[in-house]
Amino acid sequence: MGQLLSQAQTQGVIGPELIGAVPHELGEIPVVQVIARRGLDLFGQEYKKTDDINEAQAVLVRSAAMHDMELPENLCAVARAGAGVNNIPLEKCAEQGIVVFNTPGANANGVKELVIAGMLLASRDVVGGIEWVKSAQDNPDIAKAAEKEKKKFAGTELEGKKLGIIGLGAIGVRVANAAKHLGMEVYGYDPYVSVDAAWNLSRDVHHVLNVDDIYEYCDIITIHVPLMEATKGMVNEEAVAKMKRGVILLNFARDVLMDEKAVLKGIRSGRIRKYVTDFPNTITAGQEGCIVIPHLGASTEESEDNCAKMAVKELRNYLENGNIVNSVNYPNCDMGICTKEGRIAVFHKNIANMITKFTSILGDAGINISDMTNKSRGELAYTMLDVETRPDEALIAKLRDVKGVFRVRVVK
């Protein structure tokens, strides 16, 4: 499939072309940043990469910024090999009928393990002890000196401590369950916890209904919520003021969820014992009381493989079948593999009478609809129709001309 290009470049994959009067829309897929080989290999020989995004019909991306990119008309999907999608212009993609996927949970175990490591590093001054050993490396009596100095780095154990988890998604649930096995008393806050998360969560985890309970009673607090306007800066000066004195605060979600100036103020006042963050910046780097990790949460071989494989599977399912799974801008919609003559996908506004207009156009053309589904997400909707006669370009043009339609894609 060729050599992967660097972060500043793109590459892609061309999908299989199907024989018929209507051109199939599968096409080239660039990869913005290096994506794990185990994921790319799932495309198979019928796909190929391209280094020109203007030829692309789908894009694989990690953290490279796409907001300033010109999105070509033939681009129909973007898959983010990770959970966060703030590097992708979601609204612009939606208006062009471009489905944006992410890979929720694929890197959850890697992040969970680093959160546990962060709790240990903050509870026991392991880093300070290691730095002391480095500074004393030329001391011939280093072992004897260590016995005298180690009391400076003494800490506390995790067992028996109250851990507060804000956000019980894929990562938060794993952290909660792991913490229970470490003997911690775990409290979780998430007013929007999913059914799947609830099933996977240990029954011994206390589900609190007010985030203030987390702030007031927990010895260690870790945050695992998505970045939205409602969560940006949610841990602010007011929240810090409510926290238990000597609290350990961890952030492995997004740096802007925290008002880090308020966090530093809390450290100086003794309210916060340690702040562990996976997002280095000029505010916290090198500051007293801060343990700053260079964004290593999902930087494991396993996480990168899992994200890449999930992203590729999502793209293939969409390109080949029109099915949408784990989209962040369009509703999930799954009709399985199409066994009929054709399948049409329509991206449109979520307004009245759209389905009636689509079915009327097909009916007037004498095309029978054997199966159909329509799903909505806010102001957007997605309709798939399985038909017993393959539509021609004239019919597709009529569907595109319906007011409120963003895009019509012939899947098969």
Side-chain angles (χ1 to χ4, degrees):
M1 292 177 68
Q3 184 177 1
L4 290 177
L5 303 183
S6 67
Q7 176 174 343
Q9 298 170 304
T10 59
Q11 24 179 254
V13 180
I14 283 192
E17 293 182 359
L18 303 185
I19 299 173
V22 180
H24 198 262
E25 279 203 1
L26 297 188
E28 303 190 5
I29 302 178
V31 180
V32 182
Q33 297 179 296
V34 174
I35 304 294
R37 170 63 61 184
R38 290 187 181 179
L40 293 178
D41 286 347
L42 294 179
F43 276 120
Q45 295 182 350
E46 68 271 30
Y47 288 84
K48 71 177 183 181
K49 297 190 296 293
T50 179
D51 59 4
D52 185 357
I53 194 171
N54 293 313
E55 298 176 349
Q57 291 190 323
V59 168
L60 278 166
V61 63
R62 287 176 64 193
S63 57
M66 294 185 64
H67 287 278
D68 295 330
M69 287 185 180
E70 283 295 325
L71 303 178
E73 290 186 6
N74 53 307
L75 184 66
C76 54
V78 175
R80 159 80 163 97
V85 290
N86 53 306
N87 58 316
I88 302 169
L90 301 183
E91 188 173 341
K92 182 164 71 170
C93 286
E95 291 172 354
Q96 292 184 224
I98 299 171
V99 183
V100 179
F101 299 93
N102 70 345
T103 56
N107 59 14
N109 190 67
V111 178
K112 173 209 76 177
E113 290 184 0
L114 199 60
V115 171
I116 300 299
M119 286 194 284
L120 289 166
L121 291 173
S123 297
R124 307 181 68 173
D125 192 6
V126 178
V127 175
I130 291 171
E131 291 301 317
W132 177 86
V133 172
K134 286 182 180 179
S135 70
Q137 60 183 323
D138 298 325
N139 184 350
D141 295 322
I142 187 172
K144 182 184 288 187
E147 292 303 313
K148 294 180 180 179
E149 293 291 328
K150 68 180 184 181
K151 61 179 178 291
K152 295 180 181 179
F153 312 110
T156 55
E157 297 180 10
L158 298 182
E159 186 175 11
K161 299 299 184 295
K162 291 182 174 65
L163 171 65
I165 302 175
I166 302 173
L168 294 171
I171 296 170
V173 165
R174 284 177 179 258
V175 171
N177 293 343
K180 285 301 301 179
H181 289 298
L182 291 172
M184 302 184 78
E185 191 174 340
V186 182
Y187 296 81
Y189 170 77
D190 192 334
Y192 309 109
V193 62
S194 69
V195 173
D196 286 343
W199 274 108
N200 291 323
L201 189 64
S202 168
R203 64 182 180 181
D204 294 324
V205 173
H206 307 286
H207 192 192
V208 302
L209 301 179
N210 190 333
V211 71
D212 286 350
D213 292 338
I214 297 286
Y215 296 146
E216 292 174 17
Y217 302 114
C218 291
D219 305 295
I220 303 173
I221 298 172
T222 181
I223 188 166
H224 300 285
V225 297
L227 175 59
M228 303 180 294
E229 280 303 315
T231 59
K232 189 174 181 180
M234 66 176 292
V235 180
N236 51 25
E237 192 166 346
E238 182 181 355
V240 170
K242 295 176 182 177
M243 292 180 186
K244 186 175 181 180
R245 192 165 187 82
V247 69
I248 290 171
L249 188 59
L250 301 101
N251 181 10
F252 287 81
R254 286 289 182 272
D255 56 349
V256 293
L257 298 174
M258 303 275 180
D259 177 350
E260 292 188 322
K261 292 181 179 178
V263 171
L264 291 181
K265 186 176 178 181
I267 292 172
R268 289 191 292 268
S269 70
R271 176 74 61 183
I272 298 173
R273 176 177 159 190
K274 290 285 185 181
Y275 174 53
V276 186
T277 176
D278 200 26
F279 307 99
N281 57 47
T282 56
I283 299 174
T284 56
Q287 294 296 314
E288 188 73 24
C290 294
I291 299 174
V292 184
I293 301 169
H295 203 188
L296 300 181
S299 293
T300 68
E301 182 179 334
E302 294 85 353
S303 287
E304 291 180 2
D305 284 350
N306 291 339
C307 287
K309 287 188 285 188
M310 183 182 289
V312 170
K313 288 177 181 178
E314 290 166 352
L315 279 181
R316 286 201 63 169
N317 193 14
Y318 173 69
L319 293 173
E320 297 169 20
N321 303 306
N323 297 325
I324 298 177
V325 180
N326 292 329
S327 172
V328 294
N329 64 343
Y330 272 96
N332 284 351
C333 186
D334 192 340
M335 284 180 60
I337 297 173
C338 180
T339 58
K340 300 301 180 181
E341 186 67 19
R343 175 172 288 180
I344 305 167
V346 186
F347 301 81
H348 57 93
K349 292 182 179 180
N350 184 23
I351 54 179
N353 295 323
M354 296 299 281
I355 305 302
T356 301
K357 293 175 183 177
F358 301 155
T359 55
S360 294
I361 290 171
L362 290 168
D364 291 344
I367 295 179
N368 186 48
I369 300 171
S370 58
D371 197 4
M372 179 180 68
T373 187
N374 168 265
K375 300 292 183 181
S376 63
R377 180 173 185 160
E379 297 179 353
L380 303 176
Y382 182 67
T383 300
M384 280 200 293
L385 306 106
D386 282 357
V387 293
E388 296 182 357
T389 304
R390 184 170 294 185
D392 57 23
E393 183 54 39
L395 184 141
I396 298 302
K398 289 182 180 179
L399 290 172
R400 289 193 183 109
D401 288 340
V402 173
K403 187 175 181 180
V405 168
F406 301 121
R407 182 181 202 144
V408 178
R409 177 172 171 253
V410 178
V411 180
K412 176 183 176 184

